[in-house]
Amino acid sequence: MKANGPPKSAAILGLAFDNDDGHTRLTRGKNFVLVGGSQDTHAVMQETAIKVNERLDRAGKRLEEVSLKELRQIFHEVRESIGSDR
């Protein structure tokens, strides 16, 4: 943390627009907010956000500390682990 500046913060924002059932879906969690989507899409966003946080926790890192490249790699690995059929 810099002595003269505010602490860094980061969050994951997930947006989906494939909802046609009239439900409003909103999920908040540790450093993420997910909005919208069908029931299936929202569930995939939830699972993805949770698993990304689990991987960060296992690595002893916070979202604010990882590079964009590293975060992309984590997301890629998580999406592969969830499966391409979802």
Side-chain angles (χ1 to χ4, degrees), residues 3-30:
N4 296 340
K8 287 175 90 174
S9 65
I12 299 166
L13 174 63
L15 301 172
F17 302 101
D18 66 337
N19 178 6
D20 60 4
D21 63 8
H23 288 277
T24 302
R25 294 177 176 85
L26 172 66
T27 304
R28 295 178 189 187
K30 176 184 166 185

Side-chain angles (χ1 to χ4, degrees), residues 43-86:
V44 170
M45 289 194 304
Q46 288 174 322
E47 186 176 3
T48 301
I50 290 166
K51 287 187 176 207
V52 165
N53 276 314
E54 288 172 352
R55 288 190 184 224
L56 289 170
D57 288 344
R58 280 197 307 266
K61 296 182 178 182
R62 296 176 14 172
L63 184 59
E64 298 85 13
E65 299 170 341
V66 297
S67 69
L68 183 55
K69 181 178 180 179
E70 185 175 3
L71 186 59
R72 282 183 181 146
Q73 182 62 36
I74 292 169
F75 267 94
H76 178 74
E77 291 169 3
V78 166
R79 290 296 294 140
E80 282 187 344
S81 74
I82 291 172
S84 59
D85 61 326
R86 293 189 75 183

